Amino acid sequence: MSRSGQALPSASFRDAQAAKSMSRLAQGVKLFCLLGALVILLGPIAFWTNPEWVESSARQQLHRPDALLQLDSGARLLGWLSSWLLGGVRLFALWQVWVLFSCFQRGEVFATEPVLRLRRFAFALVAHTLASPLGDTLSVLALTIGNPPGQRLLNLGLGFEHGFSLFFGLIFWAIARVMFEATRVAQENAEFV
């Protein structure tokens, strides 16, 4: 009984409530993963099929308003294909989050599968750090490869967001390592009992 005289909920009731809460959270995260995947799949199509949008973005990225850009359908197709380097990494990351929260939904937290998925998510964040500037470089190259010699551009830029992605990738990798050790210790303890 609590101080107010009311009975406290039983442990099984609290466990059932926690399981329901985790299930709702997992469903919400998985819904965001689906929405994110739709944006990753449809966003580049909307971008690369609009020559004005491509030109505006490329000029802003290059900081050269006078740059000669090829905006024909072939150049934009190459640009769209180059966007899949980063899009593929992002879809891989979302898939890892989807499976991770599916594990949590089933009550698997300190088990091999969620630790593996968290480690792969960390890898995807680190890969994102490399794929992002490389994808931007390939996009610019796709829009200038048809230019005459001397007017082709190669643009490689690293920004704060790339360091941010690397930092969080390493943090998640460290968390996955700690969870792996906790899982290993829990399994060893379970074998002794």
Side-chain angles (χ1 to χ4, degrees), residues 56-169:
S56 172
S57 178
R59 293 196 187 287
Q60 186 177 19
Q61 181 181 356
L62 291 170
H63 304 289
R64 290 186 57 185
D66 61 334
L68 179 61
L69 299 174
Q70 304 297 317
L71 298 169
D72 59 276
S73 58
R76 287 184 288 120
L77 176 64
L78 286 175
W80 176 74
L81 290 172
S82 72
S83 72
W84 278 105
L85 176 66
L86 188 55
V89 170
R90 289 175 175 167
L91 286 174
F92 178 78
L94 284 177
W95 175 247
Q96 300 314 309
V97 172
W98 175 281
V99 176
L100 176 67
F101 275 85
S102 293
C103 292
F104 292 165
Q105 196 171 11
R106 292 188 304 267
E108 300 171 23
V109 177
F110 290 104
T112 304
E113 184 70 15
V115 172
L116 175 67
R117 296 305 174 159
L118 187 60
R119 186 181 296 160
R120 287 181 181 170
F121 175 71
F123 170 77
L125 285 178
V126 172
H128 186 273
T129 304
L130 302 173
S132 182
L134 183 59
D136 291 345
T137 300
L138 292 174
S139 296
V140 168
L141 188 58
L143 297 176
T144 62
I145 196 81
N147 290 352
Q151 293 190 10
R152 295 176 185 141
L153 297 175
L154 191 62
N155 183 43
L156 180 63
L158 293 172
F160 177 76
E161 65 276 6
H162 302 121
F164 200 66
S165 179
L166 178 63
F167 173 75
F168 277 100

Side-chain angles (χ1 to χ4, degrees), residues 8 24 28-29 33 36 64 96 116 132 135 139 141 150 159 163 166 170-171 178 191:
L8 292 173
R24 281 193 303 271
V29 169
C33 287
R64 290 186 57 185
Q96 300 314 309
L116 175 67
S132 182
S139 296
L141 188 58
L166 178 63
L170 294 174
I171 292 292
V178 169
E191 289 173 6

